[in-house]
Structure formats: C-alpha cells, structure tokens
Amino acid sequence: MEKKFGLAIHGGAGTIKKSTMTSFDETKYITELNHAIIKGYTILKGGGSALDAVEYAVRILEDCPLFNAGKGSVFTHEGTHEMDASIMCGDTLNAGAVAAVKGIRNPVQLARKVMEESGYVLLCGSGAERFGKSAALPFENEKYFFTDNRFNQWQALKNSEHAVLDHDGGKKFGTVGAVALDQNGNVAAATSTGGLTNKKFGRLGDSVVIGAGNYANNKTCAVSCTGYGEYFIRSVVAYDISCLMEYGGLSLKDACARVIDKLTDFGGEGGFIAIDKLGNIELLFNTEGMYRGYASSDKSSGIQVDIYRNKNQDSTPS
C-alpha cells in the first residue's frame, strides 16, 4: 500500500484582493509559493522527513523579501528587525522556538537547533543569538533585512504610538509557515514571522508560542497559523484543532471549521493550514485572502497555489 504524504504552506492572510494586486506582483508571489512547495515536497517524495520539508520550505519564504519573515521582516519602533520562529515534531512532541532575534538569516533554522541541541524549547533575544552563533548558523547585517516597502511602512508610523499589521493598502498578516506528513507517518509544523510594524517593548505574537501559532502531533495533525497573534494566543488555535481531534473525535475538516468559526466569533482575523495523519489538508481563513498552496501524493492535480478567497474556499482539499 502506497504511503501518503503531503505539504502545505502559507505566506500570510489578510486584505488581499485581486482588484488591488498587479499581475506582476501576483506572478512574483505565485512563483515564490511554488518554489517553496516544490522544494519541500521533493524532500518528502524522496523519503525525507516532515521536519526537513517544513524547515526547508519556510527557509525559502524567509529568504524572499515579499513575506514578513527573515529577509522581508518589518521594522520595529527602534528601526530594527526582531524575528520569531518555531518548529515542532509530531513524532516526539519536541519543539523549538526563538523570539525577538536579530541578524539571524533563517530564524526557523535556529528554532530547529534549539529543539534538537539546546535542551530547551524557547530561547529569546541576545541569548538565542549567542546560541545561534555557537552553532555556526548564518547571520546577516541590518542592510540585508532592508526593503523599501517595509521601510516606508515604518516611516509612516515611527513617530506614533501605533503598531500595525504588515500591510499594503490594507491589513495583511505576513507570517509564513509549513506543515507536512512524510512517508513514515510523521507530521511537523514550522512558523516564522517578523511581527508587527513599529512594535515596541519586545512584543511577541503567536508564531513563537507552541500550541497557539504552531503545533504538531502524530496522533492528530500539524498546524501553522497566520493572523493577529494576540487572538491566536488567547484562543490557543493550533492546539485547539488537535485537541478537538484527539479528545473530541472530530475529523480534521470539522475541527478546522469549528476553530475558524470560534476565532471569527472572538474577533480574530487570519487563517491556518493543517495536515492530518491520513494526509488530509485544510487551508482555512476568515479574511479576503491568504497566500497558500499544497502538494499531496493523494492528489492528481499536482501543486495547487492560490491567493484570494474564491467560491471553493470553504471546500478545502480534504
């Protein structure tokens, strides 16, 4: 019997309308999403691990200035870049996360090092950076993280008390993430973000919180979230999906539908991607759009990538 495997990714959700997106920009986003899916899915197809697949897919998105993670991270109030990332293994329930780190080229790579080599789950700030340097991970100077779009967003806000979502003509949650199921039946999830533009006081969102913005458990599923982090933390979104499956007996589809409804009722905006131990995939959001895509051994349609809400959005790939 052929073993099922698959990968899903997201590059953020929010007010993303086709009417306000140029064809040039749309092509750039689709190209990068395809690139990340192809690389991650190739690892799975070759018998590689779900952990390797999600890390590699997220690293590709972190290296792209289009997304609010890694190279494309937004500016803080102080004019720096503070990045957060987490990763989780569904087989062992081991997890690693880094918060408010500066200079690290790929925060998700550092999060995995924390999981596998530190003996801890969460490291933050300068301590996490020292750990990354001791592990010989690549660091970059501030110039590497500079993009005109992010700089202009910050300039419009730096003299105010407001911290806002990554946006361009509307609200957009720029977190990136990936979930995967490998041929050995293991799931994994990874999430990475630059946070809010003009954020202060070391603010952290859900991306770094295991169970809120990221979770993986072989008994149930793997989940990666994107949205207004404060709502996702208080709703414990990622674990809520897994919990409904493990203790409530719900399918992935039903659990995701219930949680997105709960999040909406709570006033939270955003979305999430999820894959279960059977290879079913869900990509749900309550905003105008979400950069997303997936590839699965159980699908004959190949790689699927989308940006906007469409009439089939509520009928996800399961």
Side-chain angles (χ1 to χ4, degrees):
M1 182 177 179
E2 184 180 353
K3 295 179 179 178
K4 294 181 180 179
F5 56 93
L7 172 87
I9 67 169
H10 69 77
T15 307
I16 310 168
K17 298 181 179 180
K18 192 173 182 64
S19 59
T20 60
M21 177 85 72
T22 68
S23 59
F24 178 72
D25 286 340
E26 183 179 282
T27 298
K28 288 194 297 183
Y29 277 108
I30 290 174
T31 298
E32 290 300 328
L33 291 170
N34 269 295
H35 182 207
I37 294 171
I38 290 170
K39 291 297 186 181
Y41 187 71
T42 298
I43 290 172
L44 298 173
K45 192 173 183 180
S49 72
L51 270 174
D52 286 345
V54 297
E55 181 196 343
Y56 199 5
V58 168
R59 281 170 60 184
I60 288 171
L61 297 175
E62 287 176 337
D63 288 341
C64 176
L66 294 174
F67 303 102
N68 178 18
K71 183 176 177 62
S73 293
V74 297
F75 285 81
T76 68
H77 182 71
E78 291 76 25
T80 60
H81 302 87
E82 293 181 357
M83 299 168 286
D84 312 321
S86 62
I87 192 167
M88 187 166 184
C89 172
D91 180 26
T92 62
L93 300 186
N94 287 337
V98 291
V101 291
K102 299 176 183 177
I104 181 74
R105 182 185 179 101
N106 293 112
V108 72
Q109 189 178 22
L110 179 54
R112 184 166 180 181
K113 284 287 184 182
V114 170
M115 178 181 71
E116 295 179 338
E117 300 180 14
S118 75
Y120 303 113
V121 172
L122 174 60
L123 299 181
C124 68
S126 60
E129 293 158 20
R130 290 196 301 272
F131 176 74
K133 290 173 181 176
S134 73
L137 296 182
F139 278 71
E140 304 288 347
N141 59 33
E142 280 293 311
K143 185 177 180 181
Y144 171 82
F145 299 96
F146 181 94
T147 61
D148 288 331
N149 184 42
R150 303 297 188 214
F151 181 75
N152 291 336
Q153 290 175 0
W154 174 54
Q155 289 298 296
L157 290 166
K158 68 177 185 178
N159 294 322
S160 74
E161 295 300 313
H162 300 292
V164 302
L165 302 161
D166 160 31
H167 65 72
D168 187 5
K171 293 184 291 184
K172 182 167 78 66
F173 314 95
T175 304
V176 306
V179 295
L181 168 71
D182 63 32
Q183 295 188 49
N184 292 317
N186 297 318
V187 297
T191 309
S192 181
T193 188
L196 300 180
T197 300
N198 205 43
K199 62 184 178 181
K200 294 181 179 181
F201 313 124
R203 178 267 181 190
L204 300 174
D206 65 304
S207 298
V208 75
V209 181
I210 302 302
N214 201 67
Y215 192 73
N217 187 333
N218 276 10
K219 291 181 180 180
T220 54
C221 62
V223 183
S224 175
C225 302
T226 175
Y228 209 116
E230 281 70 12
Y231 288 92
F232 281 70
I233 292 171
R234 286 183 280 168
S235 298
V236 201
V237 167
Y239 179 70
D240 211 12
I241 294 169
S242 175
C243 187
L244 286 168
M245 296 176 68
E246 183 173 4
Y247 301 117
L250 273 65
S251 67
L252 179 70
K253 188 178 186 69
D254 289 343
C256 287
R258 183 174 295 187
V259 170
I260 199 72
D261 287 345
K262 172 185 170 183
L263 181 68
T264 302
D265 291 343
F266 190 43
E269 295 178 279
F272 46 76
I273 56 174
I275 189 167
D276 70 11
K277 61 183 181 180
L278 302 177
N280 298 310
I281 295 172
E282 294 291 321
L283 307 96
L284 285 184
F285 53 97
N286 61 9
T287 54
E288 291 288 342
M290 181 170 76
Y291 298 107
R292 64 199 187 275
Y294 70 91
S296 171
S297 64
D298 197 35
K299 308 295 177 185
S300 59
S301 52
I303 294 173
Q304 296 293 308
V305 173
D306 209 344
I307 297 175
Y308 316 105
R309 176 175 288 278
N310 55 62
K311 63 181 180 181
N312 297 317
Q313 192 274 315
D314 293 324
S315 299
T316 51
S318 294

